[in-house]
Amino acid sequence: MRTKDETKVQLILQTALKMIARIGLAGLKMSDLAKEAGVATGTVYIYFEDKNHLIRELYFYLTHVGTNNSTQQIAENDPLKIKIKKLARNYLDDNINNPEHSAFLEQYFRSPYFQENGSNRPEEVQLQPIYHLIVEGQRQSLIKEADPEWLVMLVCGMLNEVAKVSVYTKKSVTPAEWELTFSVLWDGIKS
Amino acid sequence: MRTKDETKVQLILQTALKMIARIGLAGLKMSDLAKEAGVATGTVYIYFEDKNHLIRELYFYLTHVGTNNSTQQIAENDPLKIKIKKLARNYLDDNINNPEHSAFLEQYFRSPYFQENGSNRPEEVQLQPIYHLIVEGQRQSLIKEADPEWLVMLVCGMLNEVAKVSVYTKKSVTPAEWELTFSVLWDGIKS
Amino acid sequence: MRTKDETKVQLILQTALKMIARIGLAGLKMSDLAKEAGVATGTVYIYFEDKNHLIRELYFYLTHVGTNNSTQQIAENDPLKIKIKKLARNYLDDNINNPEHSAFLEQYFRSPYFQENGSNRPEEVQLQPIYHLIVEGQRQSLIKEADPEWLVMLVCGMLNEVAKVSVYTKKSVTPAEWELTFSVLWDGIKS
Amino acid sequence: MRTKDETKVQLILQTALKMIARIGLAGLKMSDLAKEAGVATGTVYIYFEDKNHLIRELYFYLTHVGTNNSTQQIAENDPLKIKIKKLARNYLDDNINNPEHSAFLEQYFRSPYFQENGSNRPEEVQLQPIYHLIVEGQRQSLIKEADPEWLVMLVCGMLNEVAKVSVYTKKSVTPAEWELTFSVLWDGIKS
DNA sequence: GATGAATGAGCGTTCATTCAT
DNA sequence: CATGAATGAACGCTCATTCAT
């Protein structure tokens, strides 16, 4: 069913993502999606077998394409603490700038679309670049000796919460708030 | 005459809560809910005006009733660090033992049921008992001088994440994992 | 099922009649009827087998009890024209003063309650007292030689229309209007 | 693409009209209507917002389209009495041939569909062509000097009743019956 | 391929009727 | 008898999906 008009696939997925963040996964109607994407209802079904497949494709699209909008460049020779700080900040910014991303995922895992699907929720902690930095920090005895996956989880938990509140209150994170956040993060994991 | 059984409100709400955690807010069908609660479809409509009101009532039920399952007793003369540790543990356990609670809330805020409602998402951070302990800790110079609400947010972010993973993987938190978690938490906020 | 408490039967029928005139036969709900009559829903079912029977009983109640509110006394020795005039006026007043009566009948014949019932719409023209006066008038050569039932029908058609408009516009019939009406009526049928 | 078929509006309205005459306004089920019109249930909702709107549209359709099936031609130079006779006959025939018309209107005004609607029952007597003939007759001193609207009302009352009985008994009006009817009508209004 | 009118299974809700008290 | 909470069949309406153009 996939055709050469790959831009239409992107258009539909992006539109779906935007709408889901706005009205929720449950509220998404195929006809509304088509209208907002500027195509006919039937057209959606040319590119996606049904709503199930569309949502699932959206999931793969998000998890595999990634965001990679990281603005802060991490220099190879930055000290580890600075690397982690920049990485954490990028992670936070990604979450704040792409709230649809997490909005969708949060809903997806609890939705019938995920449940019907046999696939398991991936715990791709290792994919987080922060994972490797933490392992590296442990090698340098800068970071607590402990299950690095657990540390990543705690760090991400904090950052996710900051992002969620920032998005919800529509206030950006002030420099002071960011310094406080990183201070708690770093003091928490440093050895 | 059969007397109006007010426990049916509880029964229906509890059943709804269980089902929503299992099949999602979007997948909840009034007839299924009635069947699982052991009543007729019409009976649900005696106690709740419509699905909208049912969901909304469930929200108020959860936010106002609270869980209060905290098993670990906090002694008045415990040192502050111990108090926080026990409280954090209780918070974690509540979240793990009542996964439907957060499962519902997470979905509710993104659902049409919340959106149609004019009410705003309350950010009742001060209601968290942990808030008062942190303020107390700051008074004793045990905890970083910083916006206590922000600290609470970071701490809850960590604990929420731990609970989420624990529920998802169906593994309880080992003593070692808990010690690690609290270590990061405490080192992060202590002054 | 009929019990000695015949007043409750009357109460329910009268309440039903009032409500049907107000909200229509289709809009009548058994629970509303019970509430407005001041009894419990189940009580209605003690006196009437089901809604079908209730409506049918209401029909028999109206057609057999009659209204007999005729205020103008017809003297035995009035001239025929005066007798007919008084009778027509009584017929008109009955229709105006009991608008629920015709409101119900009009709806009944077109409703599923009548249709399901095998009974035929009775054409009990002979029951109209006016019928006998017209036959008498024909014997006296005062009234056109023609099918008396047809004449009754035409006369009733006029009076029904006058009553309908009077009820709808909530204006009573002025003496001048009544004189005009009877003039048309009498000139139409007199020989 | 199937082109939107505006004749479907007519088809659905006509089918609804037929069914309402048969089973009553209250008995009309959207699914039955769709089936009898030969379309799917959902299709009805493409052309009409809901049952309420459908019924209301049917009302406007009937009152604005009119019947205009008058078969008897009225010649310009017919004497007034003949003109009125032909017009009365046309009015009668219209009522007999389109019994659904009056069957619907009679039910509509007493139904919840009309009551919920703010609109008032129009009493457009002047729209009746017979009104103008009666005024003309009064100018020629052929017809009683009296409120012409009231005369129209009486005349229509008679004819409505004749039509109603004819439809109900399924017997057409014989020439003798018609002559009698018009005799009563004319003698009633002539001066 | 693209369109959007048409479809109909399925859900939310109502209300005549029953029945435990 | 009286009550009104409980019942569940049946209706109004929605929306994912199809298909004639």
Side-chain angles (χ1 to χ4, degrees), chain B residues 9 35 50 53 67 84 127 166:
Chain B
V9 171
K35 202 177 296 170
D50 56 16
H53 283 75
T67 48
I84 289 183
L127 285 186
S166 167

Side-chain angles (χ1 to χ4, degrees), chain A residues 28-83:
Chain A
L28 184 73
K29 295 170 206 168
M30 294 300 267
S31 53
D32 287 354
L33 167 58
K35 200 179 298 172
E36 187 149 332
V39 298
T41 314
T43 307
V44 177
Y45 284 85
I46 293 170
Y47 295 96
F48 302 93
E49 199 173 319
D50 58 16
K51 193 174 176 182
N52 246 297
H53 283 74
L54 167 60
I55 301 297
R56 203 139 63 230
E57 294 265 316
L58 186 51
Y59 171 63
F60 285 121
Y61 173 71
L62 284 183
T63 51
H64 291 289
V65 168
T67 47
N68 289 342
N69 292 329
S70 319
T71 45
Q72 281 209 60
Q73 296 302 326
I74 294 161
E76 195 57 52
N77 56 355
D78 275 338
L80 191 93
K81 182 177 172 184
I82 299 305
K83 277 186 181 163

Side-chain angles (χ1 to χ4, degrees), chain C residues 17-181:
Chain C
L17 191 58
K18 240 185 299 174
M19 294 181 75
I20 289 167
R22 198 170 63 238
I23 57 171
L25 186 48
L28 184 74
K29 295 171 206 168
M30 294 300 269
S31 53
D32 287 353
L33 166 59
K35 199 178 298 170
E36 187 149 330
V39 299
T41 313
T43 307
V44 177
Y45 283 86
I46 293 171
Y47 296 96
F48 302 93
E49 198 173 321
D50 57 16
K51 193 175 175 181
N52 246 298
H53 283 73
L54 168 58
I55 300 298
R56 202 139 62 231
E57 294 264 317
L58 186 51
Y59 171 64
F60 286 121
Y61 173 69
L62 284 185
T63 51
H64 291 288
V65 168
T67 48
N68 288 342
N69 292 331
S70 318
T71 45
Q72 281 210 58
Q73 296 301 328
I74 292 162
E76 196 55 52
N77 56 355
D78 275 339
L80 190 92
K81 183 177 172 184
I82 299 303
K83 277 188 183 161
I84 289 184
K85 190 172 184 180
K86 287 184 175 174
L87 203 55
R89 182 71 211 207
N90 287 347
Y91 178 91
L92 178 62
D93 287 341
D94 277 355
N95 272 283
I96 290 176
N97 295 328
N98 304 300
E100 312 91 358
H101 192 111
S102 53
F104 170 76
L105 291 178
E106 205 173 69
Q107 294 179 74
Y108 177 68
F109 292 121
R110 300 203 181 279
S111 76
Y113 301 103
F114 170 67
Q115 319 245 3
E116 280 171 18
N117 205 356
S119 73
N120 264 352
R121 184 181 193 150
E123 215 48 55
E124 319 173 4
V125 179
Q126 298 82 353
L127 284 186
Q128 298 287 3
I130 214 166
Y131 176 81
H132 302 291
L133 284 186
I134 281 181
V135 169
E136 172 64 20
Q138 290 176 328
R139 205 153 28 205
Q140 299 179 26
S141 297
L142 292 173
I143 287 181
K144 284 174 179 160
E145 280 306 324
D147 178 4
E149 293 195 8
W150 200 269
L151 292 176
V152 168
M153 179 186 73
L154 294 172
V155 164
C156 288
M158 280 191 256
L159 297 172
N160 290 340
E161 196 76 18
V162 172
K164 202 187 284 188
V165 169
S166 167
V167 167
Y168 185 74
T169 62
K170 285 172 187 137
K171 290 191 212 148
S172 56
V173 177
T174 67
E177 283 164 349
W178 168 241
E179 291 304 328
L180 172 59
T181 303

Side-chain angles (χ1 to χ4, degrees), chain B residues 1-2 28-30 41 45 50-51:
Chain B
M1 181 195 81
R2 301 173 211 183
L28 183 73
K29 294 168 210 169
M30 295 301 268
T41 313
Y45 287 87
D50 56 16
K51 193 174 174 182

